[in-house]
Amino acid sequence: MLFDDTYQTIQQPAEGIFRDRGSKFLGYAYPISSDNDIKAIVAKLKAEHPKANHHCWAMRLGTDRSVFRVNDDGEPSGTAGRPILNILLSKDITNILVVVVRYFGGTLLGVPGLINAYKVATEEALKEATIIQKTVNDVYTVSFDYLQMNDVMRIIKEDDLIVLNQQFDNDCNIQLSIRKMQVEHVLGKIGKMSGVKIKYDRSL
C-alpha cells in the first residue's frame, strides 16, 4: 500500500507494439504533469503516423482515480480509450498519457478483439517503461529578511527540502517544494520566525 502522498508514474517515454490479423497497434507511453501536455504529444504522433487509421489515448493525473480522460478517435465507443485507461488503473500508474496508433490491416477485429488489442498494446509499452515512485509535493514561496537567511537555510537542510527558485537581496524569496506529509511540520517551523511570509503556489 502506497502512502497517501506518493504515486507511481513512468520515468521516460516508452514504446510497445501488438499485431493482430494484419492490424498493427503501436503503444506510446509518456509521463505528463498536466492535461495541457496531451495536445502536443498527440499532434506529434499524428505527424509521425499520417497514414494510421486511429490515434486513441487515455490519460491519468494525480492520485485521485477520478482525474482521467479517454479518446476512442473513431473506434467503436469503449473499445480503445477505456481499455487503455483500465490498464493504467490496474497497474496504479498516474501522471501518464498512453496513445495507441492503429494501422488497419483489412480484417475487422470485432469489439472483443479491439478491446484486447488496445489493452495489450498498452501493456507492451509499459513493459518497456521504468516505473518510479514520486511524492506529491506542495510548492510554497517563503519571503524573509536577509538577516534571517541562516535560520531559513537551516530548516531547508534539516528537512531536506527542494529549492526550486531563490532570490536574495535585502528582501529574500525562496520557492520550496515540500512533500505533502511534511507540509504542516515545515510550515510550523518557518511560521515561528518573526515577519516571515509564506505563500502557497501550487501542487506538483
Side-chain angles (χ1 to χ4, degrees):
M1 176 68 190
L2 296 178
F3 293 109
D4 287 345
D5 70 343
T6 62
Y7 62 92
Q8 293 189 126
T9 188
I10 59 171
Q11 191 166 25
Q12 70 281 320
E15 299 174 20
I17 187 167
F18 175 70
R19 291 182 174 87
D20 186 7
R21 284 168 277 179
S23 280
K24 193 163 64 169
F25 297 83
L26 307 172
Y28 295 90
Y30 297 89
I32 59 170
S33 55
S34 103
D35 57 6
N36 296 330
D37 299 337
I38 298 168
K39 196 173 174 184
I41 292 171
V42 173
K44 179 173 86 75
L45 287 173
K46 284 187 173 178
E48 286 174 14
H49 299 279
K51 294 186 176 173
N53 302 83
H54 305 279
H55 301 78
C56 307
W57 54 265
M59 61 73 89
R60 249 194 99 193
L61 280 172
T63 53
D64 185 345
R65 285 180 159 250
S66 67
V67 184
F68 64 85
R69 281 170 61 195
V70 298
N71 187 323
D72 292 319
D73 192 36
E75 292 282 35
S77 178
T79 62
R82 177 58 71 169
I84 297 169
L85 176 66
N86 285 344
I87 295 299
L88 303 182
L89 291 170
S90 71
K91 294 188 180 298
D92 203 21
I93 299 172
T94 190
N95 287 24
I96 184 171
L97 167 70
V98 173
V99 184
V100 177
V101 176
R102 181 192 184 186
Y103 286 89
F104 181 55
T107 303
L108 292 173
L109 304 184
V111 167
L114 285 174
I115 290 171
N116 180 65
Y118 282 100
K119 183 179 84 121
V120 176
T122 303
E123 288 174 334
E124 291 300 319
L126 293 178
K127 271 184 203 168
E128 300 303 315
T130 304
I131 308 238
I132 55 171
Q133 193 169 307
K134 294 182 88 168
T135 57
V136 180
N137 290 13
D138 285 342
V139 178
Y140 288 86
T141 296
V142 179
S143 305
F144 52 95
D145 187 88
Y146 187 78
L147 295 173
Q148 296 169 300
M149 168 86 73
N150 286 345
D151 294 330
V152 173
M153 297 310 280
R154 190 180 67 250
I155 292 171
I156 290 170
K157 193 173 177 188
E158 280 172 2
D159 291 286
D160 201 19
L161 305 179
I162 299 164
V163 176
L164 300 176
N165 226 319
Q166 56 191 29
Q167 179 190 333
F168 299 139
D169 209 334
N170 289 339
D171 296 316
C172 304
N173 293 297
I174 290 189
Q175 192 180 53
L176 299 172
S177 175
I178 309 171
R179 182 173 172 173
K180 265 216 187 298
M181 196 182 271
Q182 291 178 282
V183 165
E184 201 174 321
H185 164 73
V186 170
L187 296 189
K189 281 162 75 169
I190 295 173
K192 285 178 185 165
M193 295 167 59
S194 163
V196 172
K197 294 194 186 76
I198 301 168
K199 181 173 77 74
Y200 171 76
D201 292 335
R202 65 185 190 277
S203 285
L204 282 179

